[in-house]
Structure formats: C-alpha cells, structure tokens
C-alpha cells in the first residue's frame, strides 16, 4: 500500500530524515511520520518546505520555506507543529549532534535555534556578522563550519562569534568538521586540493596539510575525532 515502507523505499519519497525513534518522509507536500519502534504510521501533516531535517536527540523534525521555519514533534502519539519567522530567507538547515539544536543558514547570517522534545523554541545564537554559509556542519559543542562565497571557509563559535577563517585559491564545494571536538576540519573545491585545518583548545585555526586530488573535490567528510 502507499503507506508501506516498501513503497517509500522504492524512490517515491522526496526526502527522508530519521531520529532514533521516528522517520519523517516528505511526499507530495505532506510530511508522513512513522514510529520506528513498532513500526507504524503515526500520521501526516501538510508541509510545504524546501528541506527536511531531523534531530535524533529531541525526536523533532524541521524544515523551511522562505523566512519561515516549520517544526514538528510527537506528543501523546500525535503530531504537533509550530513555526517561527526569521528576518532573513533560510537557505539550509542541519542538526547539531547530541543537542536539541539546529543550524539555520540564511542569506545574511547563521542562526542556531533549539527545539525541545515538547516543541519549545529558543534562539541560541546568531552570527556576529552578515555571514551567509553554504554546506554547514556542526559539532556537539555548537561550533559551525561552512563555505562563505566562494573560496573561504568560516568557523563560527557556539556563541555566534567568528572563530576562524581560511581562504583557498578557488571556489570551495564542501566543508566538514570533527563533530566530537571541533578541532579539525577539511574543505575542498575546484582547485583540486583538500585542505586540512586544525587548532588546539586555545589557538587559532591553522592550515595543517594540503592533499592533491585528481580533479575537483565535490564532497568532504572527516571522522568524529579527526582520525581519518
């Protein structure tokens, strides 16, 4: 049937995001939420959003369209929803691991918000400069990395302050940071080089190593603690 996991896995879903207990499937303008512990479909709600994200710490889902942040949580077996309007147009959303928070990048800055398991919304921090970031990633301590157009990466601290920057010789396509420590990062792009950056607890960010690739680098990833 249409609600089965087999149907959703066959490529008919537009986006899928999962928490520890629930799966959210964006399909034909509706967010379908499934209980993974049974499994069964809890229900669906209208969701005209550009991107779906899930938070496995608080069992919430979030997405956006324009300046509006929509979010959902499960309460007594029912889907509950809320929304917040930001000042600037939202361009991307990601979970911050092991917290109830999400990173929102906008056309002007980077915003960190919290959404609790009971739907309580809070503004955690806003970047201290007009700093639109693409390809954001975050650590468990709230440090955010992303590409600032077109050939510069920015590291933003948990308080919204700029923690470090680095410029390369060509447009960058992705950036990743160690989720557990926030002490190592990697980025790469059209100049066919991967850049590995590092710091200790008190130092500024430095270039630790460059690695030559055979072509443009489209995606980067680094392990949780930076071992590989």
């Amino acid at each position: 049937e249409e609600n089965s996991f087999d149907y959703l896995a066959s490529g008919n879903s537009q986006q899928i995001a999962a928490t520890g207990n629930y799966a959210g499937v964006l399909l034909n303008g509706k967010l379908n939420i499934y209980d993974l512990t049974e499994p069964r479909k809890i229900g669906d709600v209208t969701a005209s959003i550009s991107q779906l994200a899930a938070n496995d710490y608080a069992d919430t889902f979030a997405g956006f369209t324009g300046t509006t942040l929509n979010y959902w949580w499960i309460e007594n077996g029912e889907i509950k929803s809320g929304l917040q309007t930001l000042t600037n147009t939202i361009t991307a959303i990601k979970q911050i691991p092991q917290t109830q928070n999400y990173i929102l990048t906008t056309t002007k800055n980077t915003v960190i918000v919290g959404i609790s398991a009971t739907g309580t919304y809070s503004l955690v921090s806003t970047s201290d400069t007009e700093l639109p970031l693409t390809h954001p990633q975050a650590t468990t301590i709230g440090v955010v990395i992303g590409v600032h157009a077109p050939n510069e990466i920015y590291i933003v601290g948990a308080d919204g302050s700029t923690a470090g920057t680095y410029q390369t010789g060509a447009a960058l396509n992705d950036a990743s940071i160690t989720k557990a420590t926030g002490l190592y990062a990697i980025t790469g792009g059209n100049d066919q080089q991967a850049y590995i950056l590092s710091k200790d607890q008190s130092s500024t960010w430095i270039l630790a190593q460059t690695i030559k690739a055979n072509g443009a680098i489209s995606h980067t990833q680094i392990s949780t603690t930076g071992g590989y």
Side-chain angles (χ1 to χ4, degrees), residues 21-226:
N21 296 308
Y22 303 104
V25 180
L26 190 62
L27 181 67
N28 298 327
K30 288 186 177 293
L31 175 61
N32 302 264
I33 297 183
Y34 295 82
D35 187 336
L36 297 178
T37 63
E38 296 192 4
R40 65 180 180 86
K41 181 177 178 178
I42 296 175
D44 58 65
V45 291
T46 300
S48 299
I49 55 175
S50 302
Q51 186 177 338
L52 178 65
N55 187 297
D56 56 13
Y57 186 86
D59 277 333
T60 60
F61 296 90
F64 63 87
T65 179
T67 60
T68 302
L69 170 67
N70 299 89
Y71 54 93
W72 300 269
W73 68 98
I74 310 301
E75 189 173 307
N76 298 323
E78 296 183 354
I79 304 171
K80 302 292 185 179
S81 63
L83 63 85
Q84 292 286 328
T85 301
L86 276 66
T87 304
N88 303 303
T89 300
I90 305 167
T91 57
I93 184 171
K94 291 286 185 68
Q95 173 199 9
I96 297 181
Q98 298 181 29
T99 75
Q100 66 180 17
N101 300 337
Y102 290 91
I103 321 163
L104 302 173
T105 60
T106 79
T107 52
K108 292 291 186 181
N109 60 4
T110 300
V111 181
I112 298 177
V113 302
I115 301 171
S116 74
T118 56
T120 301
Y121 173 90
S122 60
L123 176 63
V124 178
S125 69
T126 302
S127 60
D128 58 357
T129 56
E130 291 193 354
L131 192 65
L133 296 177
T134 60
H135 309 290
Q137 281 203 5
T139 71
T140 57
I141 56 176
V143 177
V144 179
I145 191 173
V147 176
H148 180 49
N151 67 324
E152 187 171 30
I153 64 166
Y154 262 73
I155 298 99
V156 180
D159 61 354
S161 63
T162 301
T165 66
Y166 188 80
Q167 288 187 333
T168 63
L172 296 170
N173 297 322
D174 202 8
S176 303
I177 194 168
T178 50
K179 293 181 179 180
T181 64
L183 299 180
Y184 297 92
I186 185 170
T187 187
N190 294 343
D191 63 356
Q192 303 182 23
Q193 291 197 93
Y195 298 84
I196 299 176
L197 308 173
S198 68
K199 70 184 294 294
D200 60 30
Q201 296 291 348
S202 59
S203 73
T204 57
W205 285 87
I206 62 170
L207 178 64
Q209 186 178 2
T210 58
I211 301 172
K212 184 67 176 176
N214 293 325
I217 296 172
S218 58
H219 299 285
T220 60
Q221 193 61 262
I222 194 168
S223 63
T224 301
T225 58

